[in-house]
Amino acid sequence: MEILSSLNPQQRKAVEQTEGALLVLAGAGSGKTRVITLRIAYLIAEKNVPPYNILAVTFTNKAAGEMRERVKTLLQGQNLQSAPLISTFHSLCVRILRQDIEHLQEGYTKSFTIYDTSDSQKVIKACIKDLGMDEKQLSPRVVQSAISSSKNQGEDFEMYASKVEYTDERHAAIARAFKMYEERLNNANALDFDDLLIKTVRLLRASNEVREKYNNKFKYILVDEYQDTNPLQLALITFLTEKQQNICVVGDDAQSIYGFRQADIRNILEFEQHYPNANVILLEQNYRSTQTILDVADAIIKNNQNRKDKKLWTNNDTGEKIFYYQAFDADNEGRFVASKIEEHLRNNPKDKIAILYRTNAQSRVFEESLRRLRIEYNIVGGFSFYERAEVKDVIAYLKLALNPFDDIALLRVINTPPRGLGKTSLDELAFRAKDFGTSLWETLAVITDEKYEQPRNLTPRALEALRGFKKIIEKLSAQVSEAAQTDRVVSEVVIAAIEDTGYSKMLREENSDESEARLENLQELVNAAVDYDKQEADGLRDFIDHSALSSDTDKYDRNASVTMMTVHAAKGLEFPIVFLVGLEDGVFPHARSINDAKELEEERRLAYVAITRAEKILYVTHAMRRRVYGEEMAAEPSQFLNEMPLEMIHDLSRGSSWLSFAKSSSVKNNKHAAKVLRGEAETEKPRSTYAGKTYNSTDAIAEFFKMKKSSQESEVSGQEANSKPLSGFEKLKAAGSDQSKIQNPKSKIEVGLVPGSHVRHAKYGKGLVLRREGTGDNVKLTISFPGFGQKKLIEKFANLEQA
DNA sequence: GAGTCGTAGATTTTT
DNA sequence: TCTACGACTC
Ligand SMILES: Nc1ncnc2c1ncn2[C@@H]1O[C@H](COP(=O)(O)OP(=O)(O)OP(=O)(O)O)[C@@H](O)[C@H]1O
């Protein structure tokens, strides 16, 4: 088969060995995804496996879409009766449950609703309230994440509750909320994201018939990014491969970045225990990146204790050095990136460039700076189209029409547009519902009935409004079931949900820029439905499912020259030019992970993923100041920068930068200046804890600041594209020194502690002042103490000495 | 019941 | 900085 000629011998082996269990464990860019893709084509074209017997599972919709495309291209010209199923875990589960959930006998029907994260959050809030607790005592966020992580480990609320110590009030409260949450979802015939997996696993476990059915259907199973599977997903795969064991998984333990979703790399490392006859193939040649990029990625990942050493080599050139830029602040970082992108596109308009960041919130600055230069970009993730309020509203109408038990959908739309149904009426409705033990919809039907004899506790106006609402939904339901029978015209029902509900009327009457934009978004929704009608014609339900599962903007345009996304979203992709931005302690690695060795290692793997996305050119940038919650904060260069081999980095910053300092302090016989900077950490007991390492670059940075102070004039005027008359650094210095001299004469230190000053603290020892705010007795100082991190202290009480 | 205003609190990462 | 929710007014 000629397509195999594009493979190296190991890859080829992995493709040709179609029977039995196979693990392909290999580093970044070694062709794992290519193996999976070709394997699917090979099974179909060479082994004559019917496509419907093949299941390939990926992690994101984006990855599934890409793979579908590639397989399609490979199989062009073949006359196929069916297509292989290439889907995410979640879509696969929806597919199975839509067919067979009734076998589970838990009261769920095929018309179940999917609750997204915000829907579940609403349920949780209601539960907390109904348990007589305050959101401040028990935050919905905490409950939600507890429930989710418990579920992803395969637990139900009973298992969760059984683990709670009876003295542990807090967890007991979570357990109660968990229980109530489960009951409410069940009553609403609703499943959350995690339930999709849980229920499928439970279904496969409980029903021999169903298990048998899918074992017979999916004879060949392939899983990409296997290192990111969690115990539930493992269970799912295990059940699906009970009969046949034709399973091929590929992955790289160094790229495991979904620990927060309970992903467990033991799944991949212990694959041979799960499938004792498994073969293991290692791929060691990287086809993607330059040697320099691989060296840098490798240098970083080597700092992880918990890892499996893998070889990775490349025939590619050494390539360019890594480009580094220290920005003055986030805005300046954005300008730098945009201007570099402009330069690249001027030289080669076809360049494909990615901006990768740790959190979605960072995208804004880059959007603005690109827009300023009129550079087109597209952005993956963040708030998706389907998460917009107006879109969710319309979808909620449709969800309610499909599943009237969906209380969340009902509450969302019952008074949108305003129908004169306020808190009082809705409280009454909810109260009755609880009393009857039924859904809001059923309750509504009962109490609006002409023949209902009990006192209603509703104003005549409210009663009429409820009746009107009921009619609207009934009409919509009728249209929906009609459409379901004709198996088409999703778009018509969508239009009905926009028009006949009064929704568009409300927006037209509002007549603002805002409402204008919303109407446009709804038009987009109609367009999506029209497209959908043309392509799949799988009915309204499928359309709605799709909207729930694609919070990830999977229609990213691979032809666009600039794409921005989080590092997580970039997994599996590659770009000739990559900008990895915001490399600061607290941002990347994220502040939430910095104090936990395990989580810090995950951040480091994330850095590894980010760097290995680059094919030819990698830029790394960081800002010295960044706004956090609207507050300007001093930012330290990321420890991951410190872990890079500095001689491979080329400094593009104007003036002196952290890098130039780090390089200059290199001891002759030492390979990496970074090691020098790490100093004591190296001689310490080898990284038994990371607490001390977190700020171990502080000394370097402290000295850097000191240097900076003396050369401030040149540094500031050298800052590129800094249009403000006074740089922040100057302002900071000015504000700091003036205030401390004039308004704080009582201060122990007459000179005043300006940012950059060294101080000594009784408990934390030597530290460096990063920031000063407030006046008089209220002066607060942010000080970085090596080994203790940043502390915010009141100058008056801190008892600081100048060091 | 609807709309306005003020303030506390929040951000990882994805399905 | 932005948001989401609660108090307050009409
Ligand atoms: N044998 C080969 N010859 C030439 N190019 C190859 C070969 N195998 C893979 N490639 C190319 O290498 C690049 C990386 O491949 P692929 O995305 O499959 O790697 P991967 O192992 O899945 O990477 P990651 O783990 O980083 O997602 C792709 O551009 C692919 O086309």
Side-chain angles (χ1 to χ4, degrees):
Chain A
M1 189 186 186
E2 108 245 12
I3 47 172
L4 295 191
S5 63
S6 68
L7 296 175
N8 69 35
Q10 289 83 13
Q11 291 176 323
R12 195 176 170 129
K13 209 169 126 200
V15 168
E16 287 177 338
Q17 191 182 80
T18 56
E19 309 302 304
L22 175 69
L23 162 66
V24 178
L25 185 63
S30 56
K32 297 184 294 295
T33 308
R34 178 182 267 218
V35 163
I36 291 232
T37 316
L38 284 180
R39 207 177 140 97
I40 297 172
Y42 182 81
L43 281 166
I44 296 169
E46 288 291 305
K47 294 277 169 165
N48 293 320
V49 173
Y52 59 79
N53 280 152
I54 300 174
L55 167 68
V57 189
T58 64
F59 246 75
T60 62
N61 298 303
K62 191 150 39 76
E66 292 244 315
M67 193 175 288
R68 238 175 267 133
E69 283 293 303
R70 287 202 226 171
V71 170
K72 209 164 111 194
T73 316
L74 286 172
L75 291 175
Q76 243 160 22
Q78 305 255 349
N79 186 16
L80 299 176
Q81 310 294 318
S82 61
L85 180 58
I86 301 178
S87 117
T88 62
F89 273 106
H90 293 265
S91 312
L92 167 68
C93 290
V94 171
R95 195 175 268 257
I96 293 175
L97 293 174
R98 285 267 178 243
Q99 290 262 317
D100 292 302
I101 194 168
E102 279 153 32
H103 287 94
L104 191 57
Q105 302 187 332
E106 288 187 12
Y108 282 99
T109 74
K110 286 178 193 166
S111 41
F112 65 83
T113 295
I114 302 170
Y115 275 0
D116 68 16
T117 319
S118 76
D119 296 331
S120 328
Q121 179 108 153
K122 282 183 192 158
V123 178
I124 289 168
K125 279 183 182 170
C127 291
I128 291 174
K129 206 166 128 227
D130 290 346
L131 284 168
M133 282 180 292
D134 194 48
E135 281 184 22
K136 279 175 193 112
Q137 296 168 270
L138 194 63
S139 105
R141 235 171 52 83
V142 169
V143 176
Q144 187 166 37
S145 79
I147 292 177
S148 176
S149 86
S150 173
K151 283 185 173 181
N152 275 299
Q153 293 172 64
E155 299 177 352
D156 56 22
F157 76 83
E158 277 160 354
M159 288 157 88
Y160 182 87
S162 71
K163 289 196 309 193
V164 175
E165 303 281 330
Y166 65 92
T167 48
D168 189 347
E169 249 319 302
R170 195 178 161 70
H171 285 99
I174 294 176
R176 263 176 286 147
F178 194 166
K179 179 158 188 274
M180 192 179 237
Y181 171 79
E182 291 291 283
E183 287 165 359
R184 298 216 171 159
L185 258 64
N186 192 271
N187 288 336
N189 199 17
L191 300 175
D192 67 20
F193 284 142
D194 304 321
D195 286 334
L196 296 174
L197 292 164
I198 281 233
K199 302 293 179 194
T200 308
V201 167
R202 223 182 274 169
L203 172 64
L204 291 172
R205 185 186 296 134
S207 165
N208 294 334
E209 185 194 330
V210 173
R211 192 168 64 246
E212 177 91 13
K213 171 175 162 187
Y214 288 100
N215 267 269
N216 290 337
K217 179 166 168 56
F218 300 127
K219 295 208 169 95
Y220 292 86
I221 297 182
L222 306 95
V223 187
D224 200 5
E225 311 280 10
Y226 193 69
Q227 74 280 354
D228 279 320
T229 52
N230 66 30
L232 260 187
Q233 290 156 337
L234 174 68
L236 181 66
I237 294 295
T238 306
F239 280 125
L240 288 177
T241 53
E242 188 184 63
K243 202 160 154 187
Q244 50 76 22
Q245 303 241 315
N246 300 322
I247 172 151
C248 167
V249 306
V250 310
D252 175 6
D253 56 294
Q255 294 188 59
S256 164
I257 55 175
Y258 282 93
F260 67 93
R261 232 165 53 176
Q262 315 315 123
D264 190 342
I265 48 172
R266 280 179 307 183
N267 288 175
I268 195 165
L269 298 179
E270 294 169 5
F271 183 77
E272 294 157 85
Q273 269 116 281
H274 291 129
Y275 296 93
N277 297 321
N279 277 302
V280 180
I281 293 179
L282 306 176
L283 307 177
E284 294 175 340
Q285 179 171 5
N286 173 294
Y287 292 94
R288 179 183 293 146
S289 313
T290 65
Q291 187 66 53
T292 303
I293 289 167
L294 289 186
D295 286 346
V296 169
D298 190 55
I300 288 183
I301 201 70
K302 276 210 157 70
N303 289 284
N304 271 1
Q305 292 298 291
N306 184 10
R307 100 204 161 87
K308 203 166 168 170
D309 209 11
K310 279 192 297 299
K311 269 202 219 101
L312 201 58
W313 59 277
T314 184
N315 260 339
N316 297 339
D317 291 345
T318 314
E320 302 267 6
K321 284 190 171 188
I322 307 303
F323 295 114
Y324 161 98
Y325 179 75
Q326 170 179 299
F328 170 74
D329 56 14
D331 195 52
N332 180 241
E333 186 184 35
R335 285 170 194 268
F336 170 79
V337 171
S339 74
K340 276 293 163 197
I341 287 177
E342 188 181 44
E343 207 176 302
H344 279 294
L345 291 178
R346 208 167 35 229
N347 294 333
N348 177 12
K350 291 219 170 88
D351 259 341
K352 296 283 174 282
I353 304 172
I355 304 176
L356 305 183
Y357 35 75
R358 176 67 239 268
T359 65
N360 283 307
Q362 286 166 264
S363 70
R364 233 189 61 196
V365 183
F366 297 98
E367 291 183 67
E368 280 166 13
S369 60
L370 287 173
R371 227 177 289 142
R372 252 196 304 262
L373 297 189
R374 297 182 210 298
I375 300 171
E376 284 189 39
Y377 60 86
N378 69 55
I379 193 165
V380 176
F383 22 67
S384 92
F385 176 70
Y386 292 107
E387 279 168 298
R388 291 169 193 273
E390 60 278 15
V391 176
K392 285 203 86 173
D393 288 342
V394 170
I395 300 254
Y397 273 108
L398 297 167
K399 281 169 103 175
L400 186 60
L402 285 166
N403 171 23
F405 301 102
D406 186 347
D407 285 356
I408 293 290
L410 185 139
L411 286 173
R412 187 173 183 102
V413 297
I414 194 165
N415 203 32
T416 328
R419 299 190 172 88
L421 291 164
K423 196 170 179 314
T424 327
S425 314
L426 295 185
D427 279 351
E428 175 63 18
L429 189 65
F431 176 76
R432 294 300 180 101
K434 211 185 276 170
D435 199 26
F436 299 164
T438 60
S439 68
L440 294 173
W441 174 255
E442 291 165 292
T443 310
L444 190 153
V446 171
I447 62 176
T448 54
D449 195 312
E450 304 285 341
K451 283 174 250 150
Y452 188 69
E453 312 246 301
Q454 318 293 313
R456 290 192 174 99
N457 272 342
L458 289 168
T459 62
R461 236 188 95 203
L463 185 61
E464 267 326 293
L466 286 174
R467 288 192 172 129
F469 177 71
K470 183 159 169 281
K471 281 213 187 76
I472 290 171
I473 300 302
E474 279 167 347
K475 182 159 169 243
L476 196 59
S477 279
Q479 280 171 289
V480 164
S481 38
E482 218 173 285
Q485 269 146 38
T486 51
D487 204 34
R488 256 197 64 93
V489 286
V490 170
S491 52
E492 276 170 37
V493 193
V494 173
I495 291 172
I498 296 170
E499 296 296 332
D500 302 352
T501 54
Y503 202 91
S504 59
K505 184 160 168 276
M506 168 184 79
L507 289 178
R508 277 195 300 271
E509 278 168 4
E510 194 182 315
N511 198 20
S512 64
D513 286 356
E514 171 82 15
S515 67
E516 199 58 38
R518 287 170 178 235
L519 279 167
E520 273 166 35
N521 286 329
L522 292 181
Q523 189 52 51
E524 267 306 298
L525 182 65
V526 174
N527 293 345
V530 171
D531 281 351
Y532 183 84
D533 277 334
K534 277 191 210 135
Q535 291 169 17
E536 348 244 334
D538 248 353
L540 178 65
R541 188 154 283 141
D542 200 58
F543 179 73
I544 305 275
D545 285 350
H546 184 79
S547 82
L549 294 175
S550 73
S551 77
D552 166 40
T553 325
D554 44 334
K555 49 178 174 184
Y556 113 97
D557 178 7
R558 37 175 39 264
N559 297 317
S561 37
V562 183
T563 305
M564 311 192 224
M565 63 191 126
T566 63
V567 180
H568 281 90
K571 193 169 70 155
L573 305 178
E574 55 191 12
F575 299 89
I577 303 172
V578 168
F579 288 82
L580 178 55
V581 302
L583 279 170
E584 294 138 43
D585 270 0
V587 177
F588 196 172
H590 196 274
R592 297 282 252 258
S593 309
I594 233 160
N595 294 317
D596 180 293
K598 258 185 130 154
E599 289 182 42
L600 187 62
E601 294 214 338
E602 179 149 318
E603 295 282 315
R604 198 174 274 112
R605 291 193 293 271
L606 197 55
Y608 176 82
V609 170
I611 291 166
T612 56
R613 296 312 94 196
E615 292 169 22
K616 301 225 149 52
I617 299 180
L618 173 66
Y619 288 85
V620 293
T621 67
H622 69 100
M624 295 304 286
R625 306 174 55 72
R626 182 176 296 276
R627 243 195 283 282
V628 183
Y629 299 143
E631 235 192 329
E632 281 270 312
M633 297 285 280
E636 293 182 58
S638 167
Q639 51 191 301
F640 298 151
L641 281 169
N642 215 3
E643 293 171 2
M644 296 180 182
L646 300 186
E647 72 276 6
M648 294 188 178
I649 308 179
H650 179 73
D651 195 345
L652 296 178
S653 328
R654 300 286 190 89
S656 60
S657 65
W658 167 81
L659 180 64
S660 62
F661 172 75
K663 276 188 174 177
S664 70
S665 71
S666 167
V667 176
K668 285 116 231 125
N669 64 3
N670 206 337
K671 199 168 152 218
H672 303 327
K675 286 217 174 114
V676 182
L677 297 172
R678 265 198 302 273
E680 309 98 343
E682 285 294 302
T683 53
E684 256 177 22
K685 241 179 50 195
R687 303 188 199 99
S688 50
T689 73
Y690 278 80
K693 262 195 91 190
T694 306
Y695 281 94
N696 60 15
S697 56
T698 308
D699 279 350
I701 293 152
E703 284 204 47
F704 163 67
F705 268 94
K706 206 159 73 183
M707 239 173 57
K708 209 170 168 142
K709 249 176 82 186
S710 57
S711 65
Q712 223 166 55
E713 301 306 82
S714 60
E715 148 70 15
V716 163
S717 55
Q719 279 292 345
E720 183 182 66
N722 188 11
S723 54
K724 286 170 207 137
L726 251 194
S727 81
F729 218 96
E730 278 178 316
K731 277 193 263 179
L732 206 95
K733 186 187 149 222
S737 46
D738 288 357
Q739 282 164 9
S740 58
K741 273 183 206 132
I742 299 160
Q743 300 177 347
N744 200 13
K746 280 188 288 181
S747 163
K748 257 187 125 176
I749 305 147
E750 294 288 324
V751 220
L753 296 171
V754 296
S757 315
H758 291 267
V759 294
R760 188 177 304 284
H761 183 270
K763 183 158 155 225
Y764 305 123
K766 232 178 96 180
L768 170 72
V769 179
L770 296 175
R771 178 160 198 260
R772 176 192 187 89
E773 59 201 315
T775 52
D777 283 354
N778 292 323
V779 171
K780 275 184 243 152
L781 298 168
T782 307
I783 305 176
S784 174
F785 294 102
F788 296 94
Q790 287 186 9
K791 305 277 172 209
K792 212 171 204 178
L793 304 171
I794 313 246
E795 185 172 54
K796 193 176 150 209
F797 301 120
N799 235 336
L800 294 163
E801 273 176 61
Q802 191 136 29

